[in-house]
Structure formats: structure tokens, C-alpha cells
Amino acid sequence: MANRLAQSTSPYLLQHADNPVDWREWGADAFAEARRRDVPVLLSVGYAACHWCHVMAHESFEDAEVAEVVNANFVAVKVDREERPDVDAVYMNATTALTGHGGWPMTCVLTPDGDPFFAGTYFPRQQFLALLANVTTVWTEQRADVVASGAHIAEQLREMTSPGVSAAITPEALAGAVTTLRQHYDLARGGFGGAPKFPPSMVLAFLVRHHARTGDADALAMARRTCEAMARGGIYDQLAGGFARYAVDADWVVPHFEKMLYDNTQLLRVYAHLWRATGDPWARRIACETADFIVRDLGTAEGGFASALDADTVVDGASVEGATYVWTPAQLVEILGADAGARAAELLSVTDNGTFEHGSSTLQLRTDPDDSAWWAQTRAQLLSARMARPQPARDDKVVTSWNGLAIAGLADVGILLERPDYVDAAVRCAEFVVARHVVDGRLRRASRDSVVGAAAGVADDHGNLAEGLLALHQATGDPRWLAEAGSILDVALEHFRDADGVVHDTADDAEQLFTRPRSQADNAEPSGVSSLAGAWLTYAALTGSTHHREAADTSLASVGALASRDPRFAGWALAVAEAAVTGPLQVAIVGDGPVAEAMLATARASTSPGLVIARGAPDSPGQPLLEARPLVGGESTAYVCRGFVCDAPVTDLDGLAAALGLERQA
């Protein structure tokens, strides 16, 4: 039977559209049906690229016996966590509170009022059937206890989201965060902690910024070693570029093969900024290859970027994790010939025993090839052969937040690495998202095939999109993007920040769940509060708005205790705090032509965390940094300002470099 998911804009929900389980989308109708039938709600939350979500789907949700039990005793609701992060957040809090751990697929049982009274993650088929039977019995025979338990759990979770004590993130706190990170740093392999290892994108951004502000060589060394270890390991796609979600081992050898937009957009920016700080050629290469992967493999016809490539590949009707990506020595020989195949196997750590499963190996590049031309040709041959294999599915929904991260990353990398094609891709993305995802002045969360979904944008959609638009404004000089960012940030001030200055993940007029989510931690992407803090701070530096600066400072202070206690989960907040502590370094360049372009390149060489750049003609409308800043002697002129207090204007590159504290290179 076809269920009610067939018209969804979510690829994950569409994967379940033909299940015998009578799924419904999240909404008031589902809970009304549960009240009418007097049954609990079975909530299943996952996402399209999730391996274990696929496993549970095949084992249970495609099974007729399981479907019969579910349909008879529950109202079944399926949620894409990437489309409804608010629903995911509140019930993941319940899951971790009740079980001590979380993950996806998430399986919860709710009262018809939405209160959770059971929560878990993946269940094999027989355990799932036993769970359904037990819940049905308890619901039927111990209803009062179940309802009371659900109400109690909901109340406890509401108390958990109450604001804590504010603590400013001071220079001393930032130094302390580096010290704490050093205690968890894996000196031998890079990264923090043991297996599984996730790319610590935002922590790396913080460490690079901390070094820029303080000169702390240890902070830079941790970032540099981690970035190189990831780039040379199997977690990085040595043929097509881009990073997998995480490595299952401590050496970054074997990835969980899904490739997420949000990981790659953040890492793209980290590697470009690391190259700016160090000049390491491998960092530049990884930034470009990752940008190429994003544009080529995740780009959509409308100009946005798809969410992910799946971990699994369907081979002969069965889902096989990593099948597209792994190799044996014999396969390399088949493609390249005996000598070149053996040479490639040695270079890429492809062994007879294998580093993955069934004698196959992931590809690593532990050392640079001694013949770059040979490697370029070999890489192209292997990628062409790999493209002939079955390919992983693509989750092609366009998520506002992650596309904002993509705009920021592509704009930065395009400018720093002199790749205007990346900036063009960022512009196309911004034009699409602003045109389609803003409906009646308010952001929506996602679209697919140009059809925007009903889910409202959450805090990080506003923060990350504004971050991207502000980066694009600085890359292009187009005041439109500054204005668009300002409109988005003003909506966030009005609807996501309460009277006490507390930032919530959902708007004050959004659907009310059993608790209003308020996440502080930066996990796979910046939290709502840290993303907004960063965008408010940059907007304040570009416009002089004290209101936005105050919102940024208050928001940073709200996560100060977490940042000091566990900096691994406050990476972006710490990176933003580095910019706040540094203070804005505003560079306004008026004029055009070769001198103005050279001035822009000089300004962009600055690693200052507080750097913002405005460019254009004197008194360009919509750009406060250019107001009352004329050409000097009719020549292109740079104004270097700190907090809107400016040095004397300069008309030569040496003077600009000196004002920025840079060493000029002839």
C-alpha cells in the first residue's frame, strides 16, 4: 500500500513511501488521529544517508508482519531530522535522557499529546516486535502510569532547557580552551579523542583563529596536524575530493562513507584559511578538490546544493556500504596495468589483506607522489573507472542552513585561491535560496526540485545563511547581500531571541512542541546561538550596529560555561569569540582598477579573526564602511579602521600592509 509520504519534499520520507507501514508526516493531523483511535504515536526519525536507518527499514518497516502490528496499535509518524531539526532535537534529548545515548534511527513512543514515554535507537526486527507488543500491553493495562510518566519526562526536559549562568568568553577563557583541547589531542594521529573520529571542523577553525590572534604555535600545530592526517587518510576521497562523515578508527583509515554537505563546506573554509596561515600546498589542494566535489557532485540544477551522498551503494539489489569507493590490488591492475597498478597500490595503501572488508581497501595518500603528472593521470583514470560502478544515492533536498555554509565556504575559497568560478557558484546558490526559501518574509528550512517545504527555518538557518551572505558581500562588493543578511538577522532578533536575550532554536511563533528547543552545543554544524552570534558580530562590524554587537556578545556569553567546560562542543562559539576579542578590523577600499584589486588581495592576506572588508566607489549606497571615504588624490585608497576609528588613509600597498601588520612580498 502507498502511505501518506508520497507527496513529501524529503528524500528520506520518500524512501518510505511504499512501506506497508501506514506512515504519516509530522503534524497536528497525526496526533488528532492518535487521540481519535486512543493509541500512542510511534515516532521514527532518521535521514536519507543514514546506514542503520536503511537497515531498520529493510528489516522492519518493509516487513508485512511488523507493519500489521504497527498499523493496528499505533499512529506511525516518520520524520526527516534534517528537515525538522526541532522535532529531532527535543526527542533526541528525551532519548539520551532515558537511555544515556542517542543516534539514528531514533525510535520514540509518544502519548497523543506528544509526551515521550519510551525512546531508543535501532532495533533488530525481533526486538522491535517485542517492543511493540510490550508498549501495547502497557498502554492498554497501565495507561495512567504511562501518561503520568510521559508528562514527568516532558517536564524534566523543559527544566533542562532553562538558561544557565552567562560567562563572557574572555582571552583567558580562550587560552584555557586551547589547554583543555590539548589534553584530548591525539599527538600521533591528529584529532581529538579516540575512535570513532569526526572531523572537528569548528574546533580547527577556532585553533587557526587563536593562532592568528596570539601567535600560539601549539594551537596551529594541532590544527595543521589534524588537517593533514584527515587529508591523507581514507576519510578523504582521494579521487573525487570531499570528506566522509567520520572514521570508524583512530587513524582516519576507514570512513563511514556518507558525504555530507555541512561537513565539506566547513572543512573547505578551514583548509583555505590554514593555507592562508601556513602556505602549505596540500591545504590549498584539499580546499580546491573539496570545492570541486561540492560544485560537481552536490550542485543542483536550480543553483543550490544537495544535502548528502549515501553511505550505501545498491549492488545486485542489496545495499553495500562503501562499495563505490574501495579497491583491491587486482582492480587497480585491471584499470592501470601491472606496473602502474602496483605503483598505485603502494602509493594508496591498497594491500592484499585490505584495510576495509573482504580484502578491499580504502584509498590513502600518506605521502605525496613523486611524479605529479603521473598521479594526475592515474587519479583521473581511477575516478573514471569508479564512475562506471553503481553510485550511492543522493539526498537532493536543499537545506537553507547548509547552503549558507556552502555560500560562505565557496566565497572565501574563491577569493583566497583566486577561483572566480567558486564565487560564481556561491552567487548562484545565494540567488536561489533567497528567491525560493524566503516566503512572505520568513525563511523555510528546505526545498527539493525547487518546491519549498512547509517546515519553518530554525535559528541556524538564519545564522548560517546570513554568514554566507556576509561572506559573499565581502567577496563581491555587492551591497545586496549585506541588505539580505540584515533582513534575515533582524527576523532572528525579533523571533528567536527572547526578552532576556536568550536565543531559541525555533521562532516564537513556530509550532509549539512539548518544549521549545534551545541547543547550545556545536555538533556537526554551528548551533543556532553560535551561528547567529557570528553573523550578528560580522554584520555589526560591517555596519556599525551596536544592537547587533550587543546581541552577539550576549549570545556568546550564554555558551561561555560550555565553552570552558568542553570546548570540543563549542568550536564555532570559540571561533566567533576570537573575532569578538580581537575586535573588528575594518578595511574599506574605494576605487577600481589594478591598484584597488591589489589592495583587496593584500587585505585578504590578513589572518585577523576580526577582519571585514568593504569595497566599491566612495559613498556607495548600502555600505556604511564606504561612507565619507573619498579617493585621496584621485587614487584608489584604503582605510584601515578598528571599531570605526580609522588610521590615516593609504594609497600604496606597502602602507596598507604596514597598517595590517603584514610583511610585504615583492
Side-chain angles (χ1 to χ4, degrees), residues 502-547:
V502 175
V503 173
H504 298 267
D505 291 342
T506 54
D508 54 5
D509 55 358
E511 176 189 357
Q512 297 300 300
L513 305 174
F514 72 82
T515 183
R516 189 179 181 190
R518 190 183 66 83
S519 303
Q520 290 186 300
D522 298 318
N523 288 303
E525 58 183 299
S527 67
V529 63
S530 65
S531 67
L532 281 170
W536 280 328
L537 185 71
T538 301
Y539 186 77
L542 286 165
T543 64
S545 169
T546 56
H547 185 38

mmCIF file of all heavy atoms in Angstrom, residues 502-547:
data_model
loop_
_atom_site.group_PDB
_atom_site.id
_atom_site.type_symbol
_atom_site.label_atom_id
_atom_site.label_comp_id
_atom_site.label_asym_id
_atom_site.label_seq_id
_atom_site.Cartn_x
_atom_site.Cartn_y
_atom_site.Cartn_z
ATOM 1 N N VAL A 502 17.936 35.462 25.405
ATOM 2 C CA VAL A 502 18.196 34.036 25.198
ATOM 3 C C VAL A 502 17.778 33.651 23.784
ATOM 4 O O VAL A 502 16.666 33.960 23.341
ATOM 5 C CB VAL A 502 17.427 33.182 26.228
ATOM 6 C CG1 VAL A 502 17.608 31.697 25.939
ATOM 7 C CG2 VAL A 502 17.900 33.515 27.636
ATOM 8 N N VAL A 503 18.661 32.967 23.065
ATOM 9 C CA VAL A 503 18.377 32.518 21.711
ATOM 10 C C VAL A 503 17.789 31.113 21.754
ATOM 11 O O VAL A 503 18.361 30.206 22.371
ATOM 12 C CB VAL A 503 19.648 32.529 20.847
ATOM 13 C CG1 VAL A 503 19.381 31.900 19.477
ATOM 14 C CG2 VAL A 503 20.150 33.956 20.672
ATOM 15 N N HIS A 504 16.648 30.932 21.103
ATOM 16 C CA HIS A 504 15.998 29.633 20.997
ATOM 17 C C HIS A 504 16.169 29.101 19.580
ATOM 18 O O HIS A 504 16.379 29.855 18.630
ATOM 19 C CB HIS A 504 14.513 29.755 21.342
ATOM 20 C CG HIS A 504 14.266 30.214 22.750
ATOM 21 N ND1 HIS A 504 14.079 29.336 23.800
ATOM 22 C CD2 HIS A 504 14.189 31.456 23.279
ATOM 23 C CE1 HIS A 504 13.891 30.022 24.907
ATOM 24 N NE2 HIS A 504 13.957 31.314 24.628
ATOM 25 N N ASP A 505 16.045 27.788 19.432
ATOM 26 C CA ASP A 505 16.218 27.185 18.112
ATOM 27 C C ASP A 505 15.029 27.424 17.199
ATOM 28 O O ASP A 505 15.167 27.360 15.970
ATOM 29 C CB ASP A 505 16.460 25.679 18.246
ATOM 30 C CG ASP A 505 17.804 25.364 18.867
ATOM 31 O OD1 ASP A 505 18.674 26.247 18.889
ATOM 32 O OD2 ASP A 505 17.996 24.223 19.326
ATOM 33 N N THR A 506 13.852 27.626 17.786
ATOM 34 C CA THR A 506 12.650 27.858 16.990
ATOM 35 C C THR A 506 12.113 29.254 17.261
ATOM 36 O O THR A 506 12.364 29.845 18.316
ATOM 37 C CB THR A 506 11.570 26.822 17.319
ATOM 38 O OG1 THR A 506 11.324 26.821 18.723
ATOM 39 C CG2 THR A 506 11.995 25.431 16.891
ATOM 40 N N ALA A 507 11.351 29.764 16.311
ATOM 41 C CA ALA A 507 10.791 31.111 16.437
ATOM 42 C C ALA A 507 9.679 31.138 17.479
ATOM 43 O O ALA A 507 9.072 30.109 17.804
ATOM 44 C CB ALA A 507 10.258 31.576 15.092
ATOM 45 N N ASP A 508 9.400 32.332 17.975
ATOM 46 C CA ASP A 508 8.355 32.465 18.999
ATOM 47 C C ASP A 508 6.965 32.185 18.444
ATOM 48 O O ASP A 508 6.032 31.910 19.208
ATOM 49 C CB ASP A 508 8.399 33.867 19.636
ATOM 50 C CG ASP A 508 8.337 35.001 18.606
ATOM 51 O OD1 ASP A 508 8.161 34.722 17.400
ATOM 52 O OD2 ASP A 508 8.465 36.162 19.016
ATOM 53 N N ASP A 509 6.812 32.216 17.121
ATOM 54 C CA ASP A 509 5.515 31.907 16.516
ATOM 55 C C ASP A 509 5.520 30.583 15.757
ATOM 56 O O ASP A 509 4.632 30.315 14.950
ATOM 57 C CB ASP A 509 5.075 33.041 15.589
ATOM 58 C CG ASP A 509 6.120 33.371 14.514
ATOM 59 O OD1 ASP A 509 7.199 32.752 14.513
ATOM 60 O OD2 ASP A 509 5.839 34.251 13.675
ATOM 61 N N ALA A 510 6.538 29.740 16.008
ATOM 62 C CA ALA A 510 6.618 28.431 15.356
ATOM 63 C C ALA A 510 5.714 27.427 16.073
ATOM 64 O O ALA A 510 5.182 27.696 17.159
ATOM 65 C CB ALA A 510 8.058 27.925 15.354
ATOM 66 N N GLU A 511 5.572 26.253 15.463
ATOM 67 C CA GLU A 511 4.818 25.172 16.098
ATOM 68 C C GLU A 511 5.381 24.889 17.488
ATOM 69 O O GLU A 511 6.594 24.764 17.664
ATOM 70 C CB GLU A 511 4.908 23.908 15.235
ATOM 71 C CG GLU A 511 4.233 22.694 15.851
ATOM 72 C CD GLU A 511 4.508 21.409 15.088
ATOM 73 O OE1 GLU A 511 5.186 21.478 14.033
ATOM 74 O OE2 GLU A 511 4.060 20.339 15.545
ATOM 75 N N GLN A 512 4.514 24.787 18.460
ATOM 76 C CA GLN A 512 4.941 24.545 19.833
ATOM 77 C C GLN A 512 5.046 23.045 20.103
ATOM 78 O O GLN A 512 4.050 22.324 20.025
ATOM 79 C CB GLN A 512 3.962 25.191 20.810
ATOM 80 C CG GLN A 512 3.892 26.710 20.691
ATOM 81 C CD GLN A 512 5.234 27.372 20.944
ATOM 82 O OE1 GLN A 512 5.825 27.239 22.014
ATOM 83 N NE2 GLN A 512 5.736 28.105 19.944
ATOM 84 N N LEU A 513 6.234 22.577 20.400
ATOM 85 C CA LEU A 513 6.451 21.195 20.811
ATOM 86 C C LEU A 513 6.328 21.124 22.323
ATOM 87 O O LEU A 513 6.039 22.123 22.976
ATOM 88 C CB LEU A 513 7.819 20.732 20.328
ATOM 89 C CG LEU A 513 8.068 20.892 18.819
ATOM 90 C CD1 LEU A 513 9.503 20.535 18.467
ATOM 91 C CD2 LEU A 513 7.093 20.041 18.020
ATOM 92 N N PHE A 514 6.585 19.941 22.910
ATOM 93 C CA PHE A 514 6.400 19.855 24.363
ATOM 94 C C PHE A 514 7.428 20.690 25.111
ATOM 95 O O PHE A 514 7.256 21.017 26.280
ATOM 96 C CB PHE A 514 6.403 18.401 24.846
ATOM 97 C CG PHE A 514 7.749 17.719 24.822
ATOM 98 C CD1 PHE A 514 8.666 17.895 25.845
ATOM 99 C CD2 PHE A 514 8.086 16.872 23.784
ATOM 100 C CE1 PHE A 514 9.895 17.263 25.830
ATOM 101 C CE2 PHE A 514 9.312 16.225 23.757
ATOM 102 C CZ PHE A 514 10.227 16.423 24.782
ATOM 103 N N THR A 515 8.507 21.065 24.430
ATOM 104 C CA THR A 515 9.439 22.041 24.975
ATOM 105 C C THR A 515 10.028 22.821 23.806
ATOM 106 O O THR A 515 10.120 22.292 22.694
ATOM 107 C CB THR A 515 10.559 21.371 25.796
ATOM 108 O OG1 THR A 515 11.403 22.369 26.367
ATOM 109 C CG2 THR A 515 11.411 20.451 24.933
ATOM 110 N N ARG A 516 10.383 24.061 24.037
ATOM 111 C CA ARG A 516 10.984 24.866 22.980
ATOM 112 C C ARG A 516 12.481 24.593 22.956
ATOM 113 O O ARG A 516 13.196 24.883 23.923
ATOM 114 C CB ARG A 516 10.721 26.353 23.232
ATOM 115 C CG ARG A 516 11.123 27.256 22.063
ATOM 116 C CD ARG A 516 10.808 28.717 22.359
ATOM 117 N NE ARG A 516 11.160 29.584 21.238
ATOM 118 C CZ ARG A 516 11.165 30.914 21.296
ATOM 119 N NH1 ARG A 516 10.801 31.533 22.421
ATOM 120 N NH2 ARG A 516 11.507 31.626 20.239
ATOM 121 N N PRO A 517 12.987 24.000 21.870
ATOM 122 C CA PRO A 517 14.394 23.594 21.864
ATOM 123 C C PRO A 517 15.334 24.787 21.927
ATOM 124 O O PRO A 517 15.077 25.841 21.351
ATOM 125 C CB PRO A 517 14.538 22.831 20.541
ATOM 126 C CG PRO A 517 13.419 23.321 19.692
ATOM 127 C CD PRO A 517 12.296 23.666 20.619
ATOM 128 N N ARG A 518 16.438 24.559 22.640
ATOM 129 C CA ARG A 518 17.456 25.607 22.784
ATOM 130 C C ARG A 518 18.806 24.907 22.926
ATOM 131 O O ARG A 518 19.235 24.569 24.020
ATOM 132 C CB ARG A 518 17.159 26.475 24.009
ATOM 133 C CG ARG A 518 18.022 27.736 24.105
ATOM 134 C CD ARG A 518 17.729 28.509 25.383
ATOM 135 N NE ARG A 518 18.126 27.778 26.556
ATOM 136 C CZ ARG A 518 19.376 27.757 27.039
ATOM 137 N NH1 ARG A 518 20.331 28.428 26.427
ATOM 138 N NH2 ARG A 518 19.653 27.066 28.125
ATOM 139 N N SER A 519 19.438 24.667 21.809
ATOM 140 C CA SER A 519 20.710 23.949 21.805
ATOM 141 C C SER A 519 21.860 24.931 21.975
ATOM 142 O O SER A 519 21.882 25.982 21.344
ATOM 143 C CB SER A 519 20.881 23.167 20.500
ATOM 144 O OG SER A 519 19.806 22.277 20.301
ATOM 145 N N GLN A 520 22.804 24.563 22.801
ATOM 146 C CA GLN A 520 23.999 25.382 22.988
ATOM 147 C C GLN A 520 25.212 24.812 22.273
ATOM 148 O O GLN A 520 26.089 25.552 21.839
ATOM 149 C CB GLN A 520 24.313 25.517 24.479
ATOM 150 C CG GLN A 520 23.335 26.371 25.259
ATOM 151 C CD GLN A 520 23.802 26.559 26.688
ATOM 152 O OE1 GLN A 520 23.969 25.605 27.442
ATOM 153 N NE2 GLN A 520 24.024 27.802 27.072
ATOM 154 N N ALA A 521 25.277 23.492 22.161
ATOM 155 C CA ALA A 521 26.492 22.834 21.688
ATOM 156 C C ALA A 521 26.606 22.896 20.173
ATOM 157 O O ALA A 521 25.629 22.734 19.446
ATOM 158 C CB ALA A 521 26.510 21.383 22.156
ATOM 159 N N ASP A 522 27.828 23.138 19.704
ATOM 160 C CA ASP A 522 28.161 22.973 18.299
ATOM 161 C C ASP A 522 28.493 21.501 18.082
ATOM 162 O O ASP A 522 29.429 20.979 18.699
ATOM 163 C CB ASP A 522 29.380 23.828 17.928
ATOM 164 C CG ASP A 522 29.123 25.314 18.118
ATOM 165 O OD1 ASP A 522 28.020 25.773 17.757
ATOM 166 O OD2 ASP A 522 30.028 26.010 18.623
ATOM 167 N N ASN A 523 27.755 20.839 17.248
ATOM 168 C CA ASN A 523 27.999 19.426 16.985
ATOM 169 C C ASN A 523 28.542 19.254 15.576
ATOM 170 O O ASN A 523 29.678 19.578 15.310
ATOM 171 C CB ASN A 523 26.718 18.626 17.227
ATOM 172 C CG ASN A 523 26.390 18.511 18.707
ATOM 173 O OD1 ASN A 523 27.204 18.033 19.479
ATOM 174 N ND2 ASN A 523 25.211 18.945 19.101
ATOM 175 N N ALA A 524 27.742 18.767 14.648
ATOM 176 C CA ALA A 524 28.218 18.624 13.275
ATOM 177 C C ALA A 524 28.262 19.960 12.556
ATOM 178 O O ALA A 524 28.982 20.122 11.566
ATOM 179 C CB ALA A 524 27.328 17.644 12.518
ATOM 180 N N GLU A 525 27.488 20.916 13.027
ATOM 181 C CA GLU A 525 27.421 22.244 12.428
ATOM 182 C C GLU A 525 27.238 23.257 13.553
ATOM 183 O O GLU A 525 26.935 22.885 14.688
ATOM 184 C CB GLU A 525 26.254 22.318 11.442
ATOM 185 C CG GLU A 525 24.924 21.992 12.092
ATOM 186 C CD GLU A 525 23.773 21.989 11.113
ATOM 187 O OE1 GLU A 525 23.522 23.048 10.502
ATOM 188 O OE2 GLU A 525 23.127 20.948 10.976
ATOM 189 N N PRO A 526 27.414 24.530 13.283
ATOM 190 C CA PRO A 526 27.222 25.521 14.338
ATOM 191 C C PRO A 526 25.808 25.465 14.911
ATOM 192 O O PRO A 526 24.830 25.274 14.180
ATOM 193 C CB PRO A 526 27.476 26.854 13.621
ATOM 194 C CG PRO A 526 28.361 26.504 12.469
ATOM 195 C CD PRO A 526 27.908 25.150 12.026
ATOM 196 N N SER A 527 25.704 25.606 16.215
ATOM 197 C CA SER A 527 24.389 25.684 16.842
ATOM 198 C C SER A 527 23.686 26.962 16.423
ATOM 199 O O SER A 527 24.304 27.880 15.855
ATOM 200 C CB SER A 527 24.533 25.660 18.365
ATOM 201 O OG SER A 527 25.176 26.844 18.817
ATOM 202 N N GLY A 528 22.396 27.027 16.711
ATOM 203 C CA GLY A 528 21.661 28.243 16.383
ATOM 204 C C GLY A 528 22.252 29.462 17.038
ATOM 205 O O GLY A 528 22.430 30.516 16.405
ATOM 206 N N VAL A 529 22.601 29.347 18.310
ATOM 207 C CA VAL A 529 23.084 30.512 19.042
ATOM 208 C C VAL A 529 24.459 30.944 18.552
ATOM 209 O O VAL A 529 24.726 32.142 18.378
ATOM 210 C CB VAL A 529 23.076 30.251 20.565
ATOM 211 C CG1 VAL A 529 24.016 29.137 20.965
ATOM 212 C CG2 VAL A 529 23.403 31.522 21.333
ATOM 213 N N SER A 530 25.368 29.990 18.288
ATOM 214 C CA SER A 530 26.705 30.400 17.848
ATOM 215 C C SER A 530 26.693 30.893 16.404
ATOM 216 O O SER A 530 27.436 31.812 16.048
ATOM 217 C CB SER A 530 27.709 29.257 18.029
ATOM 218 O OG SER A 530 27.416 28.169 17.196
ATOM 219 N N SER A 531 25.844 30.291 15.557
ATOM 220 C CA SER A 531 25.771 30.767 14.176
ATOM 221 C C SER A 531 25.230 32.187 14.128
ATOM 222 O O SER A 531 25.736 33.034 13.369
ATOM 223 C CB SER A 531 24.912 29.830 13.325
ATOM 224 O OG SER A 531 23.557 29.860 13.713
ATOM 225 N N LEU A 532 24.206 32.470 14.932
ATOM 226 C CA LEU A 532 23.670 33.829 14.961
ATOM 227 C C LEU A 532 24.664 34.801 15.594
ATOM 228 O O LEU A 532 24.806 35.935 15.128
ATOM 229 C CB LEU A 532 22.347 33.850 15.720
ATOM 230 C CG LEU A 532 21.140 33.351 14.916
ATOM 231 C CD1 LEU A 532 19.931 33.170 15.817
ATOM 232 C CD2 LEU A 532 20.816 34.297 13.768
ATOM 233 N N ALA A 533 25.353 34.368 16.636
ATOM 234 C CA ALA A 533 26.349 35.244 17.256
ATOM 235 C C ALA A 533 27.405 35.660 16.235
ATOM 236 O O ALA A 533 27.788 36.840 16.151
ATOM 237 C CB ALA A 533 26.999 34.548 18.448
ATOM 238 N N GLY A 534 27.887 34.701 15.438
ATOM 239 C CA GLY A 534 28.900 35.021 14.436
ATOM 240 C C GLY A 534 28.390 35.973 13.378
ATOM 241 O O GLY A 534 29.082 36.924 12.982
ATOM 242 N N ALA A 535 27.163 35.737 12.904
ATOM 243 C CA ALA A 535 26.614 36.602 11.862
ATOM 244 C C ALA A 535 26.289 37.983 12.408
ATOM 245 O O ALA A 535 26.533 38.999 11.735
ATOM 246 C CB ALA A 535 25.369 35.952 11.259
ATOM 247 N N TRP A 536 25.729 38.041 13.621
ATOM 248 C CA TRP A 536 25.462 39.354 14.226
ATOM 249 C C TRP A 536 26.759 40.140 14.400
ATOM 250 O O TRP A 536 26.804 41.355 14.172
ATOM 251 C CB TRP A 536 24.775 39.174 15.580
ATOM 252 C CG TRP A 536 23.301 38.898 15.488
ATOM 253 C CD1 TRP A 536 22.430 39.354 14.549
ATOM 254 C CD2 TRP A 536 22.518 38.102 16.393
ATOM 255 N NE1 TRP A 536 21.156 38.902 14.806
ATOM 256 C CE2 TRP A 536 21.175 38.130 15.929
ATOM 257 C CE3 TRP A 536 22.814 37.372 17.544
ATOM 258 C CZ2 TRP A 536 20.137 37.449 16.584
ATOM 259 C CZ3 TRP A 536 21.793 36.686 18.198
ATOM 260 C CH2 TRP A 536 20.469 36.735 17.714
ATOM 261 N N LEU A 537 27.830 39.458 14.815
ATOM 262 C CA LEU A 537 29.116 40.127 15.029
ATOM 263 C C LEU A 537 29.665 40.692 13.720
ATOM 264 O O LEU A 537 30.108 41.848 13.668
ATOM 265 C CB LEU A 537 30.108 39.139 15.644
ATOM 266 C CG LEU A 537 31.461 39.719 16.043
ATOM 267 C CD1 LEU A 537 31.326 40.618 17.268
ATOM 268 C CD2 LEU A 537 32.462 38.595 16.319
ATOM 269 N N THR A 538 29.636 39.891 12.658
ATOM 270 C CA THR A 538 30.147 40.361 11.369
ATOM 271 C C THR A 538 29.303 41.501 10.827
ATOM 272 O O THR A 538 29.831 42.496 10.296
ATOM 273 C CB THR A 538 30.187 39.198 10.369
ATOM 274 O OG1 THR A 538 31.025 38.156 10.880
ATOM 275 C CG2 THR A 538 30.729 39.652 9.020
ATOM 276 N N TYR A 539 27.988 41.376 10.966
ATOM 277 C CA TYR A 539 27.105 42.436 10.487
ATOM 278 C C TYR A 539 27.379 43.741 11.245
ATOM 279 O O TYR A 539 27.397 44.823 10.642
ATOM 280 C CB TYR A 539 25.647 42.014 10.655
ATOM 281 C CG TYR A 539 24.661 42.991 10.061
ATOM 282 C CD1 TYR A 539 24.453 43.042 8.686
ATOM 283 C CD2 TYR A 539 23.947 43.870 10.869
ATOM 284 C CE1 TYR A 539 23.546 43.944 8.131
ATOM 285 C CE2 TYR A 539 23.045 44.777 10.329
ATOM 286 C CZ TYR A 539 22.850 44.808 8.960
ATOM 287 O OH TYR A 539 21.953 45.704 8.418
ATOM 288 N N ALA A 540 27.599 43.636 12.546
ATOM 289 C CA ALA A 540 27.917 44.824 13.335
ATOM 290 C C ALA A 540 29.211 45.467 12.855
ATOM 291 O O ALA A 540 29.323 46.697 12.770
ATOM 292 C CB ALA A 540 28.013 44.458 14.813
ATOM 293 N N ALA A 541 30.209 44.646 12.531
ATOM 294 C CA ALA A 541 31.482 45.186 12.065
ATOM 295 C C ALA A 541 31.341 45.875 10.711
ATOM 296 O O ALA A 541 32.033 46.855 10.425
ATOM 297 C CB ALA A 541 32.522 44.073 11.984
ATOM 298 N N LEU A 542 30.445 45.373 9.874
ATOM 299 C CA LEU A 542 30.259 45.946 8.546
ATOM 300 C C LEU A 542 29.345 47.169 8.546
ATOM 301 O O LEU A 542 29.381 47.963 7.596
ATOM 302 C CB LEU A 542 29.683 44.892 7.592
ATOM 303 C CG LEU A 542 30.664 43.807 7.128
ATOM 304 C CD1 LEU A 542 29.912 42.645 6.499
ATOM 305 C CD2 LEU A 542 31.674 44.381 6.138
ATOM 306 N N THR A 543 28.534 47.309 9.575
ATOM 307 C CA THR A 543 27.532 48.391 9.568
ATOM 308 C C THR A 543 27.643 49.345 10.746
ATOM 309 O O THR A 543 27.058 50.432 10.718
ATOM 310 C CB THR A 543 26.118 47.805 9.585
ATOM 311 O OG1 THR A 543 25.912 47.093 10.826
ATOM 312 C CG2 THR A 543 25.894 46.860 8.414
ATOM 313 N N GLY A 544 28.358 48.945 11.796
ATOM 314 C CA GLY A 544 28.429 49.773 12.991
ATOM 315 C C GLY A 544 27.230 49.634 13.905
ATOM 316 O O GLY A 544 27.067 50.419 14.850
ATOM 317 N N SER A 545 26.385 48.617 13.708
ATOM 318 C CA SER A 545 25.181 48.439 14.518
ATOM 319 C C SER A 545 25.542 47.954 15.922
ATOM 320 O O SER A 545 25.992 46.814 16.102
ATOM 321 C CB SER A 545 24.235 47.440 13.857
ATOM 322 O OG SER A 545 23.201 47.072 14.746
ATOM 323 N N THR A 546 25.313 48.787 16.917
ATOM 324 C CA THR A 546 25.591 48.387 18.298
ATOM 325 C C THR A 546 24.574 47.362 18.793
ATOM 326 O O THR A 546 24.890 46.541 19.658
ATOM 327 C CB THR A 546 25.579 49.614 19.221
ATOM 328 O OG1 THR A 546 24.319 50.284 19.093
ATOM 329 C CG2 THR A 546 26.706 50.570 18.854
ATOM 330 N N HIS A 547 23.368 47.416 18.246
ATOM 331 C CA HIS A 547 22.329 46.460 18.651
ATOM 332 C C HIS A 547 22.741 45.037 18.277
ATOM 333 O O HIS A 547 22.607 44.102 19.082
ATOM 334 C CB HIS A 547 21.007 46.829 17.991
ATOM 335 C CG HIS A 547 19.836 45.993 18.419
ATOM 336 N ND1 HIS A 547 19.670 45.561 19.722
ATOM 337 C CD2 HIS A 547 18.779 45.511 17.716
ATOM 338 C CE1 HIS A 547 18.548 44.850 19.808
ATOM 339 N NE2 HIS A 547 18.000 44.804 18.604
#
